[in-house]
Amino acid sequence: MSSTAESADIFLAIADDSDESHVRGGENAGRTLMHVAVLRSLIRIGALDKSAGFSRDMKLDLSAKNPRNVRVAVIIQGADAGRVWGAGFTRLSN
């Protein structure tokens, strides 16, 4: 974290570990494409500043998801220039 940065936004990202799409038209028509870490939701869950900590409990409804196919990531990004201060992720199947 730079000494001039005072605050950051905290984001929660929900992604499918993998997915596939069946292409109907264009140069890939008829092909099945495989994708990794497909972002499904990005939610700003709070803010953080140098002078105060941050704590938050959340409930996520992922009942429609296959837990073996979900990644959850948290990203802390500087509010001034968008520099990423830190990030971490886990798979729900852990």
Side-chain angles (χ1 to χ4, degrees), residues 33-56:
L33 303 179
M34 302 303 295
H35 311 285
V36 177
V38 179
L39 183 65
R40 300 298 183 188
S41 180
L42 182 63
I43 307 162
R44 182 182 178 276
I45 60 170
L48 178 71
D49 66 48
K50 283 184 172 181
S51 62
F54 177 84
S55 176
R56 180 162 186 173

Side-chain angles (χ1 to χ4, degrees), residues 13-34:
I14 307 294
D16 287 341
D17 199 37
S18 62
D19 201 356
E20 63 182 46
S21 57
H22 305 284
V23 183
R24 296 182 195 178
E27 64 186 41
N28 288 321
R31 295 182 65 195
T32 298
L33 303 179
M34 302 303 295

Side-chain angles (χ1 to χ4, degrees), residues 4 12 14 18 42 44 51-52 59 67 69 77 80 89 91:
T4 61
L12 176 71
I14 307 294
S18 62
L42 182 63
R44 182 182 178 276
S51 62
K59 290 185 180 183
N69 194 39
Q77 185 175 27
D80 54 355
F89 85 94
R91 288 183 176 92

